[in-house]
Amino acid sequence: MKPAKNHHNQTRILKPKPKPEPEFKRPITEIIWVSLVSTCIKFLLIPAYHSTDFEVHRNWLAITHSLPLSQWYSDETSPWTLDYPPFFAQFEHFLSFFASFVDPIMVHIHHGLDYKSKPTILFQRISVIITDFVLVFGIYRLTRNLGCKERVLIWVLVIFSPGLMIVDHLHFQYNGFLLGILLISLSALEEGKDLLGGFVFAVLLCFKHLFAVAAPVYFVYLLRHYCSGGFISWFGRLVIMGSAVVAVFAAAYGPFLYHGQIQQVFHRMFPFGRGLCHAYWAPNFWVFYIILDKVLAFLLVRMGFNVQAPTASFTGGLVGDSSPFAVLPRVTPFITFSIVLLAIAPCLVKAWRNPQPRMITRWIAYAYTCGFMFGWHVHEKASLHFVIPLAIIALKSVEDANHYFYLSIVSCYSLFPLLFEVQEYPIKFLLLLLHATLTWIGFSSYFTTTNRKTAETEQTRYDKTRFIVGSFGKLYLLGLLAVEIYGQFVHPILFAERLPFLPLMMISICCAFGMMYSWIWQLRQIIKLH
Amino acid sequence: MEKKKKATKPTRDDSESNIWSFVTQRGTTASFICITLFAILVRIAVSIHPYSGAGTPPKYGDYEAQRHWMEITLNLPVKEWYRNSTVNDLKYWGLDYPPLTAYQSYIHGLFLRYFDPQSVELYTSRGYESYIGKLLMRWTVLLSDVLIFFPAVIYFVIVYYSGVHNGSKSGMLWHFAMILLNPCLILIDHGHFQYNCISLGFTVAAVAAILSDRDIAGSILFTLALNHKQMSAYFAPAFFGYLFGKCLRCHNPFLEVLKLGLAVLGTFTVLWWPYLYSLEAPFEVLSRLAPFERGIYEDYVANFWCTSSVIVKWKRLFSTQALRILSLVSTVSTCLPSMLLLIMAPSRRNFLFGLLSSALSFYFFSFQVHEKSILLPLLPASFLAIDEPLIFRWLTYFALLSMFPLLRRDELVLPYVALYGLFVLLYNAPVQREATRETRSPFTTLKYFLTACSLVLHIVCLMVTPPRRYPFLFEAVMMLLCFSQFFFIFMYSSMKQWEILKLSSQTIREKKNS
């Protein structure tokens, strides 16, 4: 906390003269204005396509409303069983109270199956829209002390994020709400309120366990930053933090422990029966691994070796017990787990040596990137977990801005296959285009003005502080465009209905390059910065 | 995207004090692109909602009418388009717009036939509805909008701000967004389903051309608008008055009038060419354009005839013939003052007010007015948004209210609410345009009261079933409220024109004296 404050004070002092802020610049009114504009768009999107996740969440409403707590995690009426941690179940229970007034069939465990009346759609969509204000609050907490230019730009980056719009308001999920909790936790850490940060993060873990990837970073950081001083004070603080976290987990899991359901809860939350990759490959490291395997198998067969074709296929959906690889060794959940931990290690070391609040957002985002790159059965939606926090630090330097610009495009583009119907095509495309244009305009104007001041004194730094999309970057973005054009227009002409997985595979591979770049860049940045 | 409109007074551009400068700093083009993209996004988002008459045989709604016209124009020779025959039953959504609409239907029909031939097959396609068919139809509106209305608005904004108004850039961008994101137009075109963007787009371009002194181009563009929808005649007195008044002040008034007259006649000739082969043919088409048999008003439209019918039962008292003459006389007599004022003082500002007054007088008094016709007065009001923000806002609120029953029938309440909210937000965008902010007036309490009334009416209309004896009670109350507000705006606009005339004659006198 101390360093952050000093840093902030310094920038204040450097300003030529701190003018009194004009009256109209009340951040809270402005952020509400910005978020209400996006709310209007979300309202318009209510009748658009939604995925089976809509039915999943409806079913959870029904389970939590009509069954006693002890049966929440053992019910199997619908294939979409409850597999989120208890707080999320409680959250659905809370929503179902209102839902039962809107349309009682929606929360009926049997009659409600695949129920999609207009009030149901309206209710569920509006519940996402309203809970999104947690995200707005989180982002407000994080940016309230920034200059107004940074502030507004960051709001636009997050609140108009096309990825969130696609996943939450079209595909249907509650990521905005969950990411909002993460941002609140991050803002507390950045302000030095470690206890609050740790507490909120524990709450988040009880909402969605996928966020646990960053737990090692939190652990090391809090251990070193919060628990400081002499042994007594160290131990005292450790006990305080520990009891806060334990209290949260007890509140979440206690009732299930009481009903003897705890094993069932964990069984549902960690279904390792699923394969390494999803039917549509998330653009991560394993894409390269699979491709390498295919290429090696192909070459070996050519050279006359007898290679057994794998019985399971990656393109066919679920993977059973047999190894899907022809040549390379099979990957197990344990291996992915170790690799993720190994990848996070550099940042753990950094956090151990010098735990600074101003680095925490970067570290957390990096941890989620590692989880995304090397994790088991990763979903492409998980890229939001680091894209949104990275928006907060996108304005720290021109390199950050540059990196964020690519990353936000790649991450949103990798979500395109989620919406495969014709009606939503222009919507997702325009959302991305609008956001990319705003980002580009915002970054380039932000970094030219900042550099104009420095340029007078340091001519040499001029080019370094300017936001430009390099020729390599342009080439990559054009590549993405080419892949999209191929998938939409050329592929149907060439193959008609055959090889439907080919365009998807190309999107995965293309985006995997971008993600790989982002991961390496973040790693380098973490090692470099002090 | 709205954020770009909040820009900056140039002097403060660099300072930290300007929040929204991050977009405007990149220049006007960047901001225009963002607003345009946002406007397209809003239109597409509205277009996923239902259209008028979705799944309601046998007549369906405007969507089916437009699709039917594509079917007719695509499959029949030009001469048969407006003629009743075994394959062209004029009772089933017969073509009743001028030839340009027919040509536009033909072009869109080609587009539809390329992707979905079934949807425009003669006769068998009646009542055709499908997922892909809806998308294609929506795309035809969107393309017309982007290709005609958008460029016209950009042209208008550039012209409007290049001359007299050297106002702030943020004000200009705000104005641009206001015209482009007009909730009524978006709801009718992309929700209800019509092609008002084409005729209104031509009108905007005509106004812009005339404001930049390209009078001939302006008259040609206005003729195009007139030939797309005859309702564009609502603006005709203002166009005529302004251009005529301007010509009178030239060195050779006769030549100027002749030039404009020839341009208009030439355009008409080209557009009506297929129907000029005999003397009767054009009259056959004309009779289709004036549907007198449909009565002086329909449903609950907030105009004079419908509102006063609460007291005077016009339809019972007079024959249709008499009503025709009555409405003609009253329309002409109410728009005549505004036209004369324009001839006497043809200034640009007066022109814009003249457009508003004449459109409103047509809306009040002409024959067979539809709720959707409020779009026409709304257009000049949006031109005046920066000078008369209150008038613009007021007209938009009550225009929305007046269309609420219609949109509710189309199941468009959701986009209605969203766009209403979006309009309020964008109108109150944190932009630096203090100069043109509404000044506090003594009517503040009244304003709040009326706004509250309209909100309550919305809610009551949605929630409460009307008493059985008066099933249209709420519609009637809405109509009364809207009419009173429209009439107030009409009076205000005429008064403004009068003031402008007084002011201009004063300056002329002063010049002479000095």
Side-chain angles (χ1 to χ4, degrees):
Chain A
M1 167 195 194
K2 289 266 161 65
K5 246 200 170 164
N6 288 343
H7 183 70
H8 193 68
N9 288 344
Q10 265 174 5
T11 47
R12 269 283 160 86
I13 294 157
L14 285 179
K15 272 182 209 162
K17 42 178 173 173
K19 283 180 218 161
E21 302 223 326
E23 197 202 335
F24 63 91
K25 284 200 304 176
R26 277 162 305 175
I28 190 81
T29 353
E30 272 168 12
I31 197 169
I32 287 176
W33 186 84
V34 173
S35 58
L36 284 179
V37 168
S38 83
T39 304
C40 287
I41 300 295
K42 294 168 190 168
F43 262 98
L44 285 176
L45 294 179
I46 284 180
Y49 159 87
H50 51 78
S51 71
T52 47
D53 275 352
F54 181 83
E55 169 63 10
V56 172
H57 285 93
R58 194 219 46 78
N59 186 46
W60 293 357
L61 284 178
I63 291 179
T64 51
H65 188 263
S66 25
L67 296 178
L69 187 116
S70 55
Q71 288 172 38
W72 285 2
Y73 283 89
S74 49
D75 176 75
E76 277 181 352
T77 321
S78 156
W80 313 116
T81 51
L82 186 53
D83 56 6
Y84 271 29
F87 275 173
F88 201 86
Q90 300 283 6
F91 166 69
E92 294 277 4
H93 182 59
F94 170 74
L95 285 182
S96 70
F97 173 74
F98 302 99
S100 63
F101 291 108
V102 175
D103 189 341
I105 305 179
M106 173 182 8
V107 289
H108 195 283
I109 189 117
H110 296 292
H111 299 165
L113 290 179
D114 283 318
Y115 185 67
K116 278 181 194 174
S117 70
K118 271 192 184 161
T120 310
I121 294 181
L122 212 57
F123 175 80
Q124 294 226 67
R125 289 281 200 199
I126 289 178
S127 73
V128 180
I129 293 173
I130 290 176
T131 50
D132 250 8
F133 279 90
V134 177
L135 177 74
V136 176
F137 177 69
I139 195 86
Y140 167 71
R141 267 207 79 167
L142 264 167
T143 54
R144 58 186 166 178
N145 294 323
L146 295 177
C148 46
K149 237 184 209 176
E150 284 99 333
R151 200 160 74 197
V152 175
L153 198 46
I154 291 173
W155 295 344
V156 172
L157 291 184
V158 176
I159 294 174
F160 284 93
S161 158
L164 266 183
M165 210 72 122
I166 289 174
V167 175
D168 277 13
H169 302 280
L170 291 163
H171 178 84
F172 199 85
Q173 278 196 350
Y174 288 90
N175 289 292
F177 164 59
L178 299 168
L179 284 166
I181 303 178
L182 177 69
L183 292 188
I184 292 172
S185 162
L186 287 178
S187 71
L189 291 188
E190 283 201 354
E191 285 168 10
K193 294 176 184 155
D194 288 350
L195 187 60
L196 179 65
F199 174 78
V200 175
F201 184 68
V203 171
L204 176 65
L205 290 189
C206 295
F207 268 106
K208 191 170 180 179
H209 48 310
L210 277 180
F211 282 96
V213 182
V217 181
Y218 263 92
F219 179 74
V220 172
Y221 175 80
L222 290 177
L223 194 67
R224 295 288 294 170
H225 190 259
Y226 180 67
C227 312
S228 51
F231 180 76
I232 306 283
S233 122
W234 179 85
F235 188 73
R237 287 181 160 223
L238 189 65
V239 169
I240 295 171
M241 179 63 84
S243 36
V245 172
V246 168
V248 170
F249 277 86
Y253 293 93
F256 297 95
L257 203 62
Y258 174 77
H259 289 290
Q261 284 285 310
I262 199 73
Q263 228 178 339
Q264 178 65 16
V265 172
F266 286 117
H267 176 70
R268 282 281 173 80
M269 278 167 52
F270 300 99
F272 279 111
R274 298 185 192 174
L276 172 66
C277 288
H278 206 250
Y280 160 68
W281 308 340
N284 61 9
F285 172 77
W286 301 115
V287 169
F288 296 117
Y289 193 78
I290 299 167
I291 298 291
L292 183 66
D293 179 68
K294 297 261 185 244
V295 171
L296 280 180
F298 178 76
L299 289 180
L300 288 176
V301 170
R302 268 296 174 88
M303 284 153 65
F305 289 91
N306 181 19
V307 179
Q308 269 212 314
T311 45
S313 117
F314 275 111
T315 48
L318 274 183
V319 182
D321 275 339
S322 58
S323 165
F325 297 106
V327 185
L328 294 177
R330 190 177 162 193
V331 181
T332 62
F334 179 74
I335 295 179
T336 61
F337 181 73
S338 328
I339 296 182
V340 171
L341 213 57
L342 197 69
I344 301 178
C347 125
L348 294 181
V349 173
K350 280 271 175 184
W352 181 271
R353 286 204 189 137
N354 185 14
Q356 309 169 64
R358 65 185 174 86
M359 292 296 288
I360 188 70
T361 310
R362 203 180 284 277
W363 289 335
I364 301 293
Y366 174 73
Y368 285 129
T369 317
C370 294
F372 179 81
M373 291 310 290
F374 304 104
W376 180 260
H377 195 82
V378 171
H379 215 285
E380 64 276 11
K381 290 164 232 161
S383 62
L384 288 175
H385 294 184
F386 54 95
V387 175
I388 298 298
L390 278 174
I392 316 293
I393 50 165
L395 294 177
K396 292 263 157 88
S397 74
V398 73
E399 290 95 13
D400 282 311
N402 237 317
H403 163 249
Y404 183 78
F405 181 68
Y406 295 120
L407 180 65
S408 65
I409 292 177
V410 171
S411 122
C412 173
Y413 182 59
S414 74
L415 296 171
F416 266 29
L418 282 179
L419 307 175
F420 46 84
E421 290 198 8
V422 199
Q423 182 179 258
E424 283 72 26
Y425 188 78
I427 297 178
K428 64 181 179 183
F429 193 78
L430 270 173
L431 282 172
L432 174 60
L433 196 63
L434 186 63
H435 189 257
T437 318
L438 275 175
T439 316
W440 176 68
I441 291 174
F443 284 166
S444 47
S445 85
Y446 180 77
F447 286 103
T448 33
T449 32
T450 342
N451 89 56
R452 229 178 275 166
K453 287 172 204 154
T454 52
E456 290 161 14
T457 47
E458 294 177 63
Q459 195 66 42
T460 44
R461 282 186 57 195
Y462 188 86
D463 277 322
K464 277 191 183 168
T465 54
R466 217 165 127 192
F467 176 80
I468 16 171
V469 181
S471 49
F472 191 72
K474 272 184 202 141
L475 210 64
Y476 179 70
L477 294 181
L478 281 178
L480 287 186
L481 191 66
V483 169
E484 183 57 25
I485 290 172
Y486 172 81
Q488 287 299 320
F489 304 104
V490 185
H491 186 84
I493 297 170
L494 286 184
F495 297 100
E497 300 289 303
R498 285 176 298 133
L499 305 179
F501 61 89
L502 192 63
L504 293 184
M505 209 168 86
M506 287 172 69
I507 296 179
S508 279
I509 295 170
C510 245
C511 292
F513 275 108
M515 289 293 181
M516 207 67 195
Y517 160 78
S518 164
W519 175 68
I520 293 169
W521 186 89
Q522 286 186 54
L523 178 63
R524 224 194 54 203
Q525 207 67 0
I526 282 181
I527 295 173
K528 213 172 67 181
L529 291 178
H530 299 288
Chain B
M1 29 341 294
E2 15 323 335
K3 36 241 44 101
K4 63 261 9 143
K5 60 203 49 127
K6 36 247 39 171
T8 74
K9 295 205 168 152
T11 44
R12 289 218 237 153
D13 228 27
D14 263 9
S15 70
E16 284 276 305
S17 63
N18 202 325
I19 357 165
W20 300 108
S21 55
F22 82 88
V23 182
T24 35
Q25 236 164 30
R26 291 288 310 178
T28 325
T29 323
S31 327
F32 271 3
I33 291 174
C34 287
I35 298 176
T36 308
L37 284 177
F38 184 70
I40 299 176
L41 177 67
V42 171
R43 281 163 166 79
I44 290 186
V46 171
S47 79
I48 62 179
H49 291 263
Y51 45 80
S52 80
T56 53
K59 272 290 243 180
Y60 301 95
D62 274 354
Y63 173 88
E64 169 64 9
Q66 299 285 351
R67 196 210 51 73
H68 179 64
W69 297 346
M70 292 177 198
E71 166 200 334
I72 292 297
T73 51
L74 205 57
N75 293 297
L76 298 180
V78 184
K79 286 172 192 166
E80 301 285 320
W81 287 354
Y82 290 91
R83 190 175 292 161
N84 204 9
S85 67
T86 44
V87 276
N88 186 11
D89 177 11
L90 288 183
K91 290 231 177 73
Y92 184 81
W93 297 118
L95 196 49
D96 53 6
Y97 282 120
L100 194 57
T101 295
Y103 305 144
Q104 163 247 314
S105 296
Y106 178 73
I107 293 167
H108 287 156
L110 289 176
F111 175 81
L112 248 72
R113 187 162 68 181
Y114 181 78
F115 291 101
D116 190 12
Q118 236 189 320
S119 66
V120 282
E121 243 162 56
L122 190 59
Y123 212 80
T124 56
S125 65
R126 281 197 184 181
Y128 179 89
E129 287 181 301
S130 73
Y131 178 79
I132 202 77
K134 176 187 172 189
L135 281 182
L136 288 171
M137 291 285 280
R138 293 294 201 192
W139 269 93
T140 61
V141 186
L142 187 74
L143 285 176
S144 320
D145 211 347
V146 172
L147 292 177
I148 296 173
F149 191 70
F150 281 48
V153 174
I154 293 175
Y155 179 34
F156 171 81
V157 171
I158 291 171
V159 168
Y160 191 73
Y161 285 90
S162 63
V164 208
H165 294 265
N166 276 327
S168 71
K169 206 154 77 172
S170 61
M172 168 170 110
L173 294 169
W174 177 82
H175 197 176
F176 179 59
M178 281 292 112
I179 304 179
L180 216 49
L181 285 161
N182 188 320
C184 301
L185 180 61
I186 299 178
L187 282 169
I188 291 295
D189 275 12
H190 299 269
H192 177 84
F193 204 92
Q194 280 198 344
Y195 293 91
N196 294 297
C197 51
I198 299 181
S199 61
L200 293 183
F202 282 131
T203 311
V204 177
V207 172
I210 285 175
L211 290 184
S212 60
D213 287 326
R214 295 188 184 91
D215 292 348
I216 294 178
S219 357
I220 292 175
L221 285 166
F222 181 63
T223 316
L224 289 177
L226 203 56
N227 274 296
H228 189 264
K229 288 210 162 184
Q230 59 270 44
M231 271 85 93
S232 305
Y234 287 21
F235 299 125
F239 274 94
F240 174 77
Y242 179 73
L243 289 176
F244 189 65
K246 212 166 145 191
C247 287
L248 289 182
R249 283 161 181 73
C250 291
H251 293 298
N252 195 340
F254 182 71
L255 186 69
E256 293 295 320
V257 174
L258 191 70
K259 270 201 278 188
L260 294 180
L262 281 180
V264 172
L265 273 182
T267 320
F268 260 105
T269 317
V270 171
L271 290 172
W272 285 68
W273 188 251
Y275 301 99
L276 296 179
Y277 59 91
S278 78
L279 262 179
E280 298 89 56
F283 288 101
E284 193 186 18
V285 178
L286 268 180
S287 71
R288 289 291 309 154
L289 304 188
F292 287 118
E293 69 282 0
R294 283 167 75 179
I296 192 159
Y297 58 83
E298 271 179 4
D299 298 339
Y300 283 85
V301 52
N303 75 354
F304 173 78
W305 303 114
C306 194
T307 312
S308 57
S309 72
V310 177
I311 308 158
V312 188
K313 298 290 169 212
W314 299 103
K315 279 186 184 173
R316 255 183 264 154
L317 285 174
F318 298 93
S319 68
T320 309
Q321 187 62 32
L323 281 176
R324 269 161 73 173
I325 295 166
L326 203 59
S327 87
L328 182 72
V329 170
S330 51
T331 312
V332 170
S333 55
T334 45
C335 72
L336 207 58
S338 136
M339 193 169 90
L340 289 176
L341 287 170
L342 258 178
I343 297 177
M344 280 147 78
S347 74
R348 289 164 186 210
R349 217 168 117 75
N350 200 354
F351 177 44
L352 296 182
F353 277 111
L355 287 171
L356 180 58
S357 330
S358 81
L360 274 172
S361 63
F362 269 74
Y363 178 80
F364 289 147
F365 295 107
S366 66
F367 204 85
Q368 241 295 315
V369 172
H370 207 276
E371 298 99 310
K372 289 163 239 163
S373 302
I374 194 64
L375 287 176
L376 290 128
L378 199 51
L379 187 73
S382 66
F383 294 157
L384 289 164
I386 206 95
D387 292 326
E388 299 286 343
L390 176 62
I391 292 299
F392 169 58
R393 179 170 70 107
W394 214 238
L395 189 57
T396 310
Y397 283 174
F398 287 94
L400 274 167
L401 179 66
S402 76
M403 293 194 310
F404 183 67
L406 172 80
L407 295 170
R408 192 177 153 219
R409 270 200 302 277
D410 295 341
E411 298 181 31
L412 289 170
V413 175
L414 193 63
Y416 178 90
V417 173
L419 285 188
Y420 205 121
L422 194 63
F423 175 75
V424 174
L425 286 167
L426 292 185
Y427 181 85
N428 295 304
V431 194
Q432 290 182 356
R433 49 176 192 97
E434 299 91 345
T436 66
R437 289 241 181 235
E438 284 171 27
T439 41
R440 289 189 75 81
S441 68
F443 301 116
T444 314
T445 335
L446 188 66
K447 273 195 306 193
Y448 282 126
F449 174 70
L450 287 170
T451 318
C453 276
S454 86
L455 283 183
V456 170
L457 261 179
H458 282 117
I459 295 165
V460 167
C461 189
L462 281 178
M463 299 285 188
V464 185
T465 8
R468 198 170 296 164
R469 271 190 66 198
Y470 308 102
F472 296 105
L473 177 71
F474 303 136
E475 278 88 345
V477 176
M478 280 184 185
M479 175 186 77
L480 283 171
L481 183 62
C482 291
F483 177 74
S484 64
Q485 300 312 307
F486 294 159
F487 196 74
F488 156 75
I489 290 169
F490 176 62
M491 297 308 287
Y492 178 83
S493 155
S494 308
M495 200 186 71
K496 271 279 169 185
Q497 278 192 282
W498 186 251
E499 265 175 28
I500 293 170
L501 174 72
K502 272 201 295 187
L503 212 69
S504 75
S505 48
Q506 219 171 13
T507 38
I508 291 170
R509 227 178 295 135
E510 274 167 20
K511 263 186 200 164
K512 273 186 190 161
N513 290 347
S514 64

